[in-house]
Amino acid sequence: MTLPTLTLNDGFTIPALGFGTYPLVGDEGRIAVRSALKTGYRLLDSAVNYENEGVVGLAAREYLAKGKTSRGDVTVQTKLPGRHHAFDRAIASGYESLARLGLDRIDVMLIHWPNPSAGLYKEAWRALIELRERGVVRSIGVSNFNERLLDEVIADSGVVPAINQVELHPYFPQTSLVAKHAELGIVTQAWSPLGKRNAPYAEPVVVAAASRLGVTPAQVILRWHLERGSLPLPKSATPSRQAENLAVDSFTLLPEEVEAITALGRPDGRLFDGDPETHEEM
Ligand SMILES: NC(=O)c1ccc[n+]([C@@H]2O[C@H](COP(=O)([O-])OP(=O)(O)OC[C@H]3O[C@@H](n4cnc5c(N)ncnc54)[C@H](OP(=O)(O)O)[C@@H]3O)[C@@H](O)[C@H]2O)c1
């Protein structure tokens, strides 16, 4: 299966669907990531705070050593934690992540959460720009930034993030933020793309589309992301589900199905109180 790719504003391309890795750790994590690579995933999410950069990097290196795909075809991303936002600390954190991943470079590095009350996200963004200039990181972006925070880092640095990874699923479709990303040339990555513990698998509109197409509700939801131009990062430790989640390239939803799924959105649709203005994650 060949998934489409998305081109970032720095010219690099990444697969249009990736593999979520939280909370996969240790040998179980390595086995799950290895299985994902074998299934065909070529974009692996990770973060300092998931404590799994080591096994994600190891699984990627082991898979690359088999010679079945080239280094340039595998994108590994990680995220800077809130406690490392101060400029020098963020630079050091980039080198530490690089060492834990054990790769020649970090393909994508994101600021994990803005933590506005600490007020250091602009410094953190300048550090990511510096890490890119030093060749430690290839592509840089943010996570959990809203429109105001995006405007601020862009005005401060003159550099537009390549990616913003945010909570996005049918109950929280982030329509205005996705439009803002399109305007700015930012790729939207969706975390908890299936809705995790609150997945809308039983919603009549999802069930109807699944039965029309002969696919599963999870596949309908992942296809909904692709049709809206957002890049889903489904996590599964189950090989059969990993395959199911990747097999979303051979069917399309009708525009009215996309609209009806988006209409499931509601103001209180977040999975937890993860408002970027108030949520603190160090
Ligand atoms: N940037 C951030 O702040 C942030 C926050 C949260 C998450 N993330 C990233 O986003 C990734 C995905 O989010 P998530 O793990 O919260 O939620 P998710 O991918 O929406 O849901 C994962 C859950 O759905 C189950 N599942 C997967 N495929 C399924 C299928 N086809 N049918 C039924 N159930 C299925 C998984 O179970 P099994 O594993 O048992 O199959 C797991 O319990 C994370 O792993 C992480 O990489 C980022």
Side-chain angles (χ1 to χ4, degrees), residues 20-22 45 50 79 112-113 143-144 165 191-196 201 218 233-238 241 244-245:
T21 66
Y22 180 78
D45 191 43
Y50 301 169
K79 309 188 196 84
H112 203 151
W113 283 90
S143 177
N144 298 302
Q165 182 184 124
W191 62 254
S192 296
L194 295 168
K196 205 173 184 172
Y201 299 142
L233 295 163
K235 172 264 171 187
S236 178
T238 318
R241 286 176 173 174
E244 173 186 337
N245 295 346

Side-chain angles (χ1 to χ4, degrees), residues 209 212-213 220 223-224 227 251-255 257-258 261:
R212 180 181 75 77
L213 291 157
V220 166
R223 187 70 215 178
W224 169 80
E227 310 258 344
F251 65 93
T252 51
L253 297 175
L254 301 169
E257 289 170 331
V258 174
I261 296 169

